[in-house]
Amino acid sequence: MTGFRTLESEDAGRRAVAATDDAVADAVADAADAADAQETGDEPNGPFKAIPSDLHHHLRPFFTDIREEVVRAIRTEIPEYARPTDDTYMQVVQRGVEHALQGFLERMAQPDTDWEPVKETYRRIGRGEADEGRSLDSFQSALRLGARVTWRRINALVDAELLPRNVLAAFGEALFLHLDEMAAATTAGYTEARLHRAGELQQRRARLLDLLTADPPASAEAISELAHTAGWPVPRALAVVAIDRGPRPAAAARPIVPPEFLTRFDVQPAVLVVPDPQGPGRARAVSGALHGLRTAMGPTVALHEGARSLRWAAEALELVRRGILPDTEMVHCQEHLATLLLFRDEALVDALAERRLSPLDRIRSPQRERLAETLLTWLQSGHNASEVAARLAVHPQTVRYRMRQLDELFGARLHDPTAQFEMQLALRALTLRRAAGAR
C-alpha cells in the first residue's frame, strides 16, 4: 500500500482545483509549522528525503496543467512578463517554469542527485535578466507566484482525496526550499553579470578618459565611438581635475563622484574629467564630490584638448604641494595663469634672475631682501613712491632712500621697459619661492 488513492482521471484533478486563496494561505501556514516541527537536520536535501519515494509518480500527470496555470498566472499578474505578441519571450517563460517543475520532480525522485546543473540553469536566467536590463523584482515575483500556484494545486488534490494529507508538511518544506535555492542561484547569476558589466563599463570609461587626455589628441570619431560604448554622453567641452591621492586627515581616499564624471584613481595624481564644467550645478557637484581633497582644476577646453587641461592641473597641483599656490581645496588654473607660466621652466626663471637681478648680490641680507621687495612693489605700482610706502607700510622717505640705492645698483637698466618687465617676472618668482620656503 502506498497510501495514495488511484487517480481515476486527470479531469478529477482539474475539478479539484477549487481551493480559495484564503484556504491556501492557511495551508501554507500549517505546512510551515509542520515543517518547523519536523527534524530534518541541516542536510541540504533533508526535506526531499522526507517525501514518500513514489509521490513524484502520482504528481507527474498533473504537472502539465500546473505548468500552464503558472505560465498564465505569470502573464496575467506580472506586467513585465505580459508579452502576448512575443512568441520567443513566452517560450523562454514556459521553459523557465518547465525547468522549475521538472527539477522539483527529479529532486523528489532522487534527493541525493547533484542539482548543481539545475542551479546553473537559474544562474543563467539571472544573467539573462541582467543582460535585459531588468531588476530581479519581477523574476522573484514570478518564482513566488509559481510556488503559490503549485501549492494551491497540491492542496486541491489533497482536498479531493487524491493525495493523503500527511504529505503536505514535507512537500511544502521541499517546495519552499526549492524556491529559495532557485532564487539564490538566480541572484548569484544576476549579481555576477552586473559586476561583469560594471567592470567592463569601468574599463571602457577608463580607456575613454585616457583617450580624452591623450597627446597627440585622438580623433573626434574615436572619442564618440568609445563614449557611446561607455554610456557617456559626449559634452561640448570638458575640464580635467588633478587629485592628490594622499588625502587630508578627514577625507576619504576614494571619493564618490557623479556617474557623468570620468575618473581614474589608479594613477598619481588621480584624474577626474568634468563634462561641460560651466553647466548649472556643475561647480557644486565637483566641490561636493572632492570635499577634503587637495585638487587642481585645469582650464575648460574642447574635447581634443584634454591633455592641456590635465597638464595644467597637474602642474598647479605640484605648485600647491610646494606651497607656491595656496593650499585650498580646489585651485583653479584660470586664476593662476601667470604663476603657472613663471614656473613652467624654472631654469629660465633662474637665468632671468641672474641676468637682471645680479646687482642685488652685492648687498648683504636682510637688506638685499628689503631692496628686492621695494623694487618689485615699485614696478607693480607704476613707480609711485607713495603707493609703495602704503603697500609696504613704511615712510615715503624710506622708499625714496631705497630707490636711490637701487638706482645706484642698476643704473640705466632700472628705467629700461624691457629690463623692468624681466625684473618683475624674476622678482615675482623669487618672492613666491621664498614665501613657500618660509611655510
Side-chain angles (χ1 to χ4, degrees), residues 8 10 15 41 43 50 53 55 68 78 98 119 170 223 231 273 282 285-286 292 299 301 314 371 404 429:
E8 299 176 354
E10 293 189 15
R15 289 194 301 272
E43 190 177 352
S53 60
L55 178 60
E68 292 176 357
I78 302 178
E98 178 103 34
K119 292 181 181 179
I223 291 174
V273 171
R282 212 39 123 218
V286 174
V301 296
L371 287 177
R404 283 195 297 271

Side-chain angles (χ1 to χ4, degrees), residues 93-314:
V93 174
Q94 289 172 353
R95 282 199 302 271
V97 175
E98 178 103 34
H99 276 302
L101 294 176
Q102 189 62 34
F104 185 67
L105 279 177
E106 291 175 2
R107 292 186 77 175
M108 290 171 61
Q110 297 177 309
D112 291 327
T113 300
D114 178 16
W115 297 110
E116 189 58 33
V118 177
K119 292 181 181 179
E120 179 55 32
T121 296
Y122 282 91
R123 282 193 283 268
R124 285 198 302 271
I125 291 174
R127 289 192 288 267
E129 292 294 291
D131 291 340
E132 286 272 341
R134 292 189 294 267
S135 75
L136 273 185
D137 293 345
S138 295
F139 185 81
Q140 302 285 22
S141 297
L143 284 180
R144 290 192 294 271
L145 181 58
R148 200 163 66 241
V149 170
T150 302
W151 180 251
R152 186 167 61 233
R153 291 296 302 260
I154 297 303
N155 272 271
L157 293 173
V158 169
D159 290 343
E161 299 184 357
L162 297 174
L163 294 177
R165 186 167 297 276
N166 62 7
V167 304
L168 281 179
F171 183 92
E173 187 175 2
L175 176 64
F176 298 125
L177 172 64
H178 191 61
L179 172 68
D180 287 344
E181 291 181 349
M182 287 190 297
T186 306
T187 300
Y190 183 87
T191 302
E192 175 190 340
R194 289 291 297 272
L195 289 174
H196 181 70
R197 289 182 64 191
E200 284 189 340
L201 185 64
Q202 185 57 41
Q203 289 177 3
R204 293 193 192 106
R205 290 168 72 90
R207 290 200 301 272
L208 176 60
L209 186 152
D210 291 342
L211 205 62
L212 289 167
T213 56
D215 188 14
S219 67
E221 292 77 11
I223 291 174
S224 179
E225 181 178 346
L226 186 52
H228 176 73
T229 62
W232 192 69
V234 177
R236 293 183 298 275
L238 59 84
V240 182
V241 179
I243 306 167
D244 197 336
R245 285 177 56 191
R248 294 177 179 179
R254 190 184 182 105
I256 299 174
V257 300
E260 64 269 22
F261 294 176
L262 301 176
T263 58
R264 282 202 64 176
F265 290 97
D266 57 343
V267 294
Q268 172 67 347
V271 179
L272 181 144
V273 171
V274 181
D276 293 325
Q278 309 305 322
R282 212 39 123 218
R284 185 170 59 254
V286 174
S287 176
L290 302 180
H291 178 68
L293 293 169
R294 178 186 287 136
T295 61
M297 177 179 276
T300 299
V301 296
L303 289 182
H304 65 282
E305 293 186 295
R308 175 164 65 91
S309 187
L310 173 58
R311 183 175 65 250
W312 291 15

